[in-house]
Each structure stands twice: as C-alpha cells, then as structure tokens.
Amino acid sequence: MQHRVSSYLVGETDTGVLGRAIALAARHLTVLLLAYGLVVAAIGAVQLDRTINGAADGLNSERQGGMFASMDVVDAHGPPLTGLDSAGNSSSFYPVALDDDRGTFIYIPLLAHYAGTHDLNVLLKWFFICFFVPLLLVYPLLIYGVTDSVVAAGAAPWILLSNSSFFRTSGIFWIPAWANLLLLPLLLLIAKRWRPNLLWALVALAVLGSFASSMRANAALGFVGGAILLVLLRLPRWSLRLAGVALIALAYLSISSFAIHAVQVQRDAVVGHDFTSPYPNGHPFWHNGYIGLGYLRNPYGFRPTDAGALAAAHRQDPGARFPTKRYERALRTVYLDTLEKQPWFVVHGWIVKAGVMLGLVAHWYPFAVLLVPLLLLFGAERRQRRFQFSLVVFAGLVGAATGVFTLPTEIPEIQSGWYGFGLFLWILSIGWAARPAEHWAVAYLRRRGANRQERLRQLPPSWAPALTRVWWQVRRGVVGTRAGLRLVSTRAATRAVESARGLRKLRTLSRLALAAAVVAGVFLANSSGRVTDASAAYWANEANLVDAASIQGTLVSRWQLDQGVPQGWHEFARAVERREGELLVRTRPSKYGLQLSSPPRVLEPGHYVVAVDGSVGAGGLQVAAADAPLDATVAYAFYSAHAPFADSRRMALSFDLAKPTRVSILLSNFSVLAHSSTWTLRSVVLRREPGGCQLNLPSAYYTPTTAVAE
Amino acid sequence: MTVRRRASEVAASVAALAVALVALLALGWSGSPVRLHAPGAALWAGIAAVVAVVELQRARGDSGRSFLASAALCLALVALVEAAIVFVSFAPCGSTCI
C-alpha cells in the first residue's frame, strides 16, 4: 500500500511522461493486474491446450481401468465408485479405487457423463486447464497483494506457466501443487490484512483444501498447518483460538473424509454390499511406508516394490489381503518392528531421503535456494519475511515428508506438493527481493520529479527564442543525467561503506555464514542426492544373480566372448578390448543404449534361460531377449556394479515363448545418470529348459503377434 | 429475568452449533452413532443455518454470542457443501440412489 502511495506521489512531483504513467498505473493497479492476468490466462489456456498431449499418461493402467469402469456405470445411471462385472447373464458391482484417493474417481466419471466423452486424455487435460488457468488469472493480483512487488506480480504467472510442465501431464498428481500454489498466497494475504472476521475466510479455504485432498491425500494439509498457526498467533483469547482451530480442522475433513465416506456408504446401500468398512478411506499409508524402507540397499530384504510389500504383509499375517485395513495393520506392525529393532537403519534412510528431497529444490529452483536464506537473514523487512515463511513452511514439510516416508523419486506422483511449495517460494522470494528495489526506484523517481520541477522554474520564460529553449532543454538533459549518475554513484559508495562497516560486526558475519552454509548444504544435497538416487534406482531394478550350477537344460546357443565379439554379433559400444581371456566393454554414455546384439535365431515354443558369464565394473547392464522382426522386448533383467559377482554366479534372464519366435539377445547400457558403464564378459549361453522354469527367476510369457519362418 | 433471557439466547446459538455439527459429522463420520443420509443432513444443516442467521441478526457484533452464531452458520454451510457433494455424486444415478 505504501508502495502505491509513493507511486502516486511520483506522479505529483514528476509531471513527465514516466511520472504520469507511473501515477496512472498506481491509481488503477488492481484493474491493470486483473487485465494482465486475463491476458496471461488466455495465452496460457491456448498454450496448455496445444502442449498437453497424453494427459492420462501419468496414471497407471489400474487407475485408468478404474476410471473407465466407473464411467460406464455412471453413464448407465449406476452409483459412483463402482464397476460392473458381467459374466454370462449375471452381473455384479465391484468397488473401484479401493487403494486410492476416491475423489477423482467420483469427479472424472461425472465430468465424462456430462461432457459425453470417455476420452481420458481429453477429460484430464481440461480438468487440469479448468483448475490451472484461473490460477494464472488471479496470480498477478495475489502476488502483488502478498509482496507489494509489481515485478513479482508481472513475472509470477509466466513462472507458473513455464514450470507447470513438470506436472501438467501427470493425470491427477498436479493437485497438491495446485493446492499449495492457490492456498499459500491466500493464506499470506489473510495474514497481512488480518481481522478476526477473516477466520471465516480461512474456514472456507480449508473446505477448498478438503476438496483438493479428496483427490490426493493431504494435498492441502500444509495450508491447514499455516492457517492453524495464524489463528493461534492472531486470535485474542484461548477459547477463540481453540474454537478457530476446531473449525478449520472440521472444514478440512469435511469433503476429503466425511463426504467421501458418505458417498461410499451410500454406494454400499445402493449395491447392497459393504465395500467401505474393510478398506482405508484413502490410499494405503503403511504400504507406501514399507516401500520407502527399501530405498537404500540393505541386508534386511526390503525392496522398493509393491511385490515386496505384499510379501511382507503375507509373512506377517497370511490372511491380510491388499488393500484392506488388516493388510495395513500387518505392514504397520512390520514397519514399527523394524523401527524398534533397527532404528538407525530407518532413521538413516529418512535422513538420506530428506537430503535427496532438499537437493531436488536446488535442482528445480537454484536461484530460490540462493535468495531465500539471504532474504530471511538480511534486510529491514526480514522479520516480516520470516513470519510469512513460518506460515508457508508447513506445506514444505508435508511435501517433503511424502518423499521421506516413501521414495524421493522425481515424479509428480510423489513430488507434486514439494514442487508446488518450491515454486511458490521461488515466486515469493522474487517479490521479497524486488520490493526494496522497487521502493528505491520510486523514491528516486520522486526526487527526480522534484528536481525537475525545480529546474523547470529556472527555465527562461516562454517568450524566449526557440533556439534558446532547445539549448536549455539539452543542457537540462545533460545536467539531469550527470546529477542522476552522481546520485547513483554516491548512493552506491555510501551503501558499500555502510556494508563494509556492517560486515565488521560479528552478527552480520555469523548470518552470512549461516546463509552460506544453508545454500552450500542444499547444493551439496543436490549433487550427492543424484548419486544416491541413481544407486537406489539400481537397487530397485536389479535382478538377483543365479548360481551357474542351477542353470540346466538343453544348450541352444553358446557364444564365447573371451576371444572378442563373436561373428554375427553387432557391436555399438564405445570401446571393446580383449584382455586376459575376457572381453572388456566400455559402453556409450546413455541411460539405455544397445551395445551388443546377437544374431537372431528362431526358437520353438518353450521355456528359455539366458546366462551371461561376466560382471559389471561400473554402472549397469541390461540383458534382454527381443523379438527381432518386431523389435519388441520379450524379457529383460537389470544388473549393476553393486551386485555380488563371483565366478560361480551368472546374470540370468528367463522367458517363455508361446509360438516360434525369432529372438536376439541384447546387452544394453543401464545407467540412471546416463554415464558410460564398463563390463567384463566371458560368454553368453542360451538354454531351453524342458520342464519349465526351474530357477527362482521371474519369467516373462511372450506371444508374438506375427508368425515367423526360418 | 435478564439473566434467564441471555442464557436462552446463548442456548439458541449453542443449539444451532450442535445441530450443524451433528449434520456435518453424522453424514460421513464412520463412527457416527446417528448416521444421516444426505437429505437429512441437508435439512438439519439448513435449520441450523436459519437459527444461526437469526442469532447473528440479534447478537452484538463483537460478542461471544455472535461468534457462536457465526461458527454455527459456518459449520452449517460446511455440512451443506458436504451434502451437496453427495447429491452431485449420485445425480446421474437419480433419486432412487439417494
């Protein structure tokens, strides 16, 4: 507000074009920002419509299947959250989204029903656009209201638009980011203009947050944390504070818990079966927690896969069925037992994952990481900034906790809330940094205007000859420029001297050290986090080595690699070298790049095992069987340098063929960070096992779509 | 007399608050001992909202009674939103489902 008043004063003192323009803009700033938002929103809508292709790609096939099933039932005037299983003449309802947040499985089929389409890509694209474009519309106003910075207000919607590419095709996983981006500035605006009556606005926003949380668990929990803190700090009496907290909490539960539960109970009444009480109200919590235990390589058998969690629950309680409450209880017991028996393993995992999450912010918003600590520790308005930060930090904690508890993988499904928090903090930090500069610019323009008026009074009267007037204009320009430059240099010198004096103070130095430590810590977390995440990705994907003696069956092909690349094989590696009876391969630096491929061979239907004798020195290796004419993968397995290689162990792959198929064996690079890998290879053997799979290996079953001829 | 009247006035606000709370919780709280369907919840939330609005008209702006009435109105509106979600979810299914 003070900023706007100053801007009006610029117009009063500086009657030039710039001064009058600033004064005019300041007078109609609300309308201008709204019009600006409207233009950006229109451009954003067109751009999003053009660029979003495959909006449903972020949803796995189970989620898509559940939505399609529910769409069919809703179109047939059936109840929500239900699919129809037709077998012969009988049909029965079954519940959908038992292991997911139910909201989208209610809203999207409704939208499909009224829009008259089942095209999930179109529905999810417009669902996103309808939520995101209003954000672009109001953001200039909101950000100006929060930061008083015209620069931040102008930049904010473009920053939003450009950074939305992370989550815009994620299906529904953009919701936590959207909730943070909308609710956090509104919370700060309410905090800035606080009156006790604004408690009701917080309650209304908590209902909106509850709507978001009905689609993605805890999407607006961070906002609720900030709102509760604001109520506790600002309401005058404890009775009022407690009442306010209770109201916000109830409002936050209203849709995500109560209404969604009511819909399920009503659905049960319609279909005549209890599909609600055996299952949790949202997606499984301890299942994801168990998966999170397997993030780091460990000797306890935890693997970051659904199959690992299912097996653990079965071991704990053989009757526990995914995703029932009983299943959740079994995994909760496993998790808490592990925490009790191996506390350092669990806590170490949390710390490492927290580091990876912190590093991601440096990867996404490096300038925000530089700016925020400095702005929180320095400047005349640092206390106000700290207060604002304390209100929004809950959203960051909730977003980060998701990755710390589960996996810190850089996908919107996990990172949406954290990414949205970081994005808002980046925009907020621009406002924090720009506001003092804008104040200084306005003050400068005021002084310049005052000086200009003073000089105008010194000008010769209007009856002076034209030449004299031109001379005076030029002189005024030169004098004005020199005065301006002198003013700027004097101010800069004064600031520098003041800063140098200030630097001597221990307090300033310690603040500077703290800011530097925070920034360095976050950037270090980024670099080490990427390595950790790559190591975790190997651990998550790699197969077990197989004892060579256990691989039986009829020999189909044997390729010796110790004498060099066999005849008929294709080589794409960066370097291949024979050394001491082994073939040393240095791959090309790519994530998955083919390095060596065998000649294709027609295999009869049956069960096959590929055994690779060798080891991975650095990086990883993918061994795959491919249907050569179709260029389709029959089966694949990953191995990394972390595997316990030995002469008696083999990298193995097994697959079943339903029809005669022309198969090639492929050895490809597997490097999460797209680096070069090194392998040592001795032989590749292909065997057919007549009695089916004898090894403890997952076997892919492949049916080619075309017939082959030798 | 004045004390009794003031007590009854506050009681009206508290009653509105309680009715709104019941409408909110009884609709979707899994452990609710008084389960309501959406029409029942909407009806009780509507009654609570009307009582709360009357109370708001009669109460002084900054009094405790005004706060209670505002809270009752707020909860009633939240319960109505909640009931509306249930209604809308079953709209294609028709009146037989709700």
Side-chain angles (χ1 to χ4, degrees):
Chain A
M1 196 53 72
Q2 192 187 357
H3 190 165
R4 288 177 69 171
V5 172
S6 309
S7 304
Y8 296 143
L9 291 177
V10 170
E12 284 172 19
T13 56
D14 188 348
T15 52
V17 176
L18 185 62
R20 276 180 292 168
I22 288 173
L24 189 71
R27 206 164 289 129
H28 303 287
L29 196 60
T30 305
V31 178
L32 278 176
L33 288 175
L34 207 55
Y36 177 69
L38 199 64
V39 171
V40 182
I43 294 170
V46 172
Q47 200 213 346
L48 291 173
D49 180 31
R50 285 184 183 166
T51 53
I52 297 179
N53 297 306
D57 290 350
L59 300 182
N60 61 25
S61 55
E62 272 181 33
R63 286 191 171 104
Q64 292 193 22
M67 282 191 186
F68 284 127
S70 188
M71 282 178 201
D72 289 339
V73 172
V74 168
D75 275 354
H77 305 290
L81 291 176
T82 315
L84 192 61
D85 198 0
S86 298
N89 293 328
S90 65
S91 58
S92 59
F93 286 110
Y94 66 91
V96 299
L98 284 178
D99 59 340
D100 217 329
D101 299 300
R102 320 283 198 262
T104 31
F105 291 85
I106 296 174
Y107 312 137
I108 296 292
L110 267 180
L111 190 65
H113 178 73
Y114 290 114
T117 176
H118 281 202
D119 187 336
L120 205 51
N121 281 322
V122 171
L123 288 166
L124 289 174
K125 177 170 95 171
W126 284 102
F127 197 59
F128 173 73
I129 290 175
C130 289
F131 277 77
F132 196 74
V133 166
L135 209 57
L136 296 176
L137 172 68
V138 298
Y139 237 55
L141 259 182
L142 269 184
I143 295 300
Y144 183 77
V146 171
T147 64
D148 285 336
S149 164
V150 178
V151 171
W158 299 109
I159 294 174
L160 269 192
L161 194 59
S162 61
N163 283 283
S164 68
S165 52
F166 177 69
F167 50 69
R168 63 172 71 147
T169 55
S170 64
I172 48 161
F173 300 123
W174 47 268
I175 290 184
W178 175 83
N180 280 344
L181 289 167
L182 177 67
L183 296 174
L184 295 182
L186 285 169
L187 175 66
L188 294 188
L189 203 59
I190 288 172
K192 196 173 172 190
R193 300 176 179 184
W194 176 256
R195 299 188 311 277
N197 278 346
L198 285 173
L199 170 65
W200 313 119
L202 286 179
V203 173
L205 291 179
V207 174
L208 188 62
S210 185
F211 174 67
S213 295
S214 71
M215 295 184 274
R216 196 69 187 145
N218 301 326
L221 187 61
F223 159 78
V224 169
I228 286 175
L229 179 66
L230 183 64
V231 163
L232 291 176
L233 289 175
R234 290 287 188 258
L235 280 178
R237 292 195 305 276
W238 271 106
S239 56
L240 289 180
R241 287 175 196 151
L242 292 177
V245 168
L247 284 169
I248 289 171
L250 277 174
Y252 181 61
L253 295 173
S254 63
I255 297 175
S256 60
S257 288
F258 301 151
I260 296 297
H261 191 266
V263 170
Q264 291 179 87
V265 170
Q266 188 64 28
R267 181 263 323 262
D268 292 351
V270 174
V271 302
H273 194 282
D274 179 13
F275 289 132
T276 303
S277 59
Y279 302 99
N281 205 31
H283 67 248
F285 180 79
W286 294 105
H287 174 85
N288 293 335
Y290 182 89
I291 288 175
L293 284 179
Y295 178 66
L296 296 176
R297 195 173 291 274
N298 63 81
Y300 310 112
F302 296 115
R303 293 299 284 259
T305 58
D306 288 323
L310 291 170
H314 185 73
R315 280 195 300 274
Q316 178 68 26
D317 178 359
R321 200 163 51 84
F322 180 82
T324 57
K325 287 177 182 169
R326 188 173 163 183
Y327 173 87
E328 279 285 276
R329 276 197 296 274
L331 281 185
R332 183 183 62 198
T333 307
V334 173
Y335 196 99
L336 296 179
D337 278 355
T338 310
L339 185 60
E340 195 182 328
K341 290 172 187 163
Q342 310 290 342
W344 175 239
F345 162 67
V346 179
V347 173
H348 176 244
W350 289 343
I351 293 169
V352 170
K353 287 188 275 186
V356 175
M357 294 295 286
L358 211 55
L360 281 174
V361 182
H363 172 58
W364 294 328
Y365 312 109
F367 291 110
V369 171
L370 284 172
L371 273 178
V372 171
L374 288 171
L375 290 164
L376 289 177
L377 290 167
F378 294 97
E381 293 171 357
R382 61 182 183 276
R383 283 187 183 81
Q384 189 193 335
R385 290 177 203 140
R386 282 179 207 162
F387 175 64
Q388 290 187 330
F389 183 77
S390 69
L391 291 180
V392 300
V393 76
F394 290 97
L397 293 176
V398 171
T402 310
V404 170
F405 188 62
T406 59
L407 301 171
T409 316
E410 195 183 350
I411 52 172
E413 185 174 352
I414 293 171
Q415 303 293 352
S416 179
W418 183 232
Y419 187 88
F421 166 74
L423 181 52
F424 176 65
L425 205 59
W426 168 219
I427 293 170
L428 192 64
S429 64
I430 291 173
W432 285 346
R435 187 170 179 250
E438 287 173 40
H439 265 282
W440 183 85
V442 168
Y444 171 74
L445 287 170
R446 273 187 65 190
R447 272 198 307 278
R448 179 172 166 268
N451 292 343
R452 183 192 178 92
Q453 283 189 347
E454 186 61 31
R455 281 194 299 274
L456 280 172
R457 277 195 286 276
Q458 294 168 5
L459 281 176
S462 59
W463 43 261
L467 197 62
T468 314
R469 288 179 66 191
V470 169
W471 162 247
W472 272 99
Q473 293 280 0
V474 172
R475 188 172 176 278
R476 194 183 66 186
V478 172
V479 169
T481 310
R482 281 173 60 192
L485 285 172
R486 202 180 306 131
L487 186 69
V488 169
S489 60
T490 311
R491 283 188 68 90
T494 313
R495 283 274 167 93
V497 171
E498 282 173 2
S499 305
R501 275 185 197 143
L503 273 175
R504 278 189 218 121
K505 292 179 188 166
L506 190 63
R507 206 168 157 190
T508 312
L509 271 177
S510 60
R511 277 191 207 155
L512 209 55
L514 182 61
V518 170
V519 172
V522 175
F523 278 101
L524 273 176
N526 179 32
S527 57
S528 68
R530 288 172 72 78
V531 175
T532 308
D533 210 37
S535 174
Y538 285 128
W539 169 241
N541 290 291
E542 71 187 33
N544 292 323
L545 293 169
V546 175
D547 192 6
S550 66
I551 302 173
Q552 304 292 331
T554 316
L555 182 69
V556 178
S557 292
R558 175 190 290 275
W559 293 282
Q560 285 301 132
L561 300 172
D562 49 357
Q563 299 302 315
V565 178
Q567 198 175 6
W569 279 58
H570 292 289
E571 178 210 322
F572 309 97
R574 176 190 272 181
V576 175
E577 187 186 335
R578 266 174 57 200
R579 188 184 290 175
E580 296 169 5
E582 294 174 332
L583 190 70
L584 191 67
V585 178
R586 188 176 298 279
T587 71
R588 292 186 184 280
S590 59
K591 197 167 182 180
Y592 307 107
L594 179 60
Q595 310 298 319
L596 292 168
S597 71
S598 76
R601 178 178 179 138
V602 176
L603 301 180
E604 293 302 313
H607 179 76
Y608 292 86
V609 176
V610 179
V612 180
D613 183 8
S615 62
V616 179
L621 179 151
Q622 184 200 49
V623 52
D627 182 338
L630 294 178
D631 198 21
T633 304
V634 174
Y636 61 87
F638 294 109
Y639 291 91
S640 82
H642 302 286
F645 291 102
D647 286 346
S648 61
R649 290 180 182 156
R650 300 286 181 269
M651 294 179 271
L653 169 74
S654 73
F655 56 92
D656 287 279
L657 295 177
K659 292 180 184 172
T661 309
R662 191 187 291 268
V663 171
S664 286
I665 307 302
L666 313 178
L667 301 180
S668 304
N669 191 25
F670 167 46
S671 170
V672 179
L673 298 176
H675 293 164
S676 177
S677 301
T678 52
W679 312 330
T680 306
L681 302 174
R682 288 180 284 273
S683 68
V684 175
V685 176
L686 174 64
R687 287 181 186 275
R688 183 179 179 193
E689 292 190 312
C693 185
Q694 305 296 315
L695 302 170
N696 186 22
L697 279 176
S699 182
Y701 190 81
Y702 183 72
T703 307
T705 52
T706 56
V708 295
E710 184 69 65
Chain B
M1 185 64 186
T2 314
V3 171
R4 193 182 299 165
R5 200 169 71 187
R6 194 170 291 167
S8 70
E9 284 165 351
V10 172
S13 294
V14 172
L17 188 66
V19 171
L21 196 60
V22 166
L24 181 76
L25 294 180
L27 184 62
W29 179 35
S30 55
S32 172
V34 281
R35 179 162 294 285
L36 295 174
H37 286 308
L43 177 70
W44 284 110
I47 290 170
V50 169
V51 174
V53 167
V54 170
E55 282 290 285
L56 266 178
Q57 295 290 324
R58 294 166 63 183
R60 274 191 300 115
D62 56 347
S63 64
R65 183 181 166 193
S66 164
F67 181 83
L68 278 177
S70 301
L73 179 62
C74 182
L75 278 192
L77 292 177
V78 173
L80 282 171
V81 168
E82 197 183 308
I85 292 278
V86 182
F87 274 122
V88 170
S89 304
F90 285 88
C93 193
S95 57
T96 52
C97 289
I98 200 86

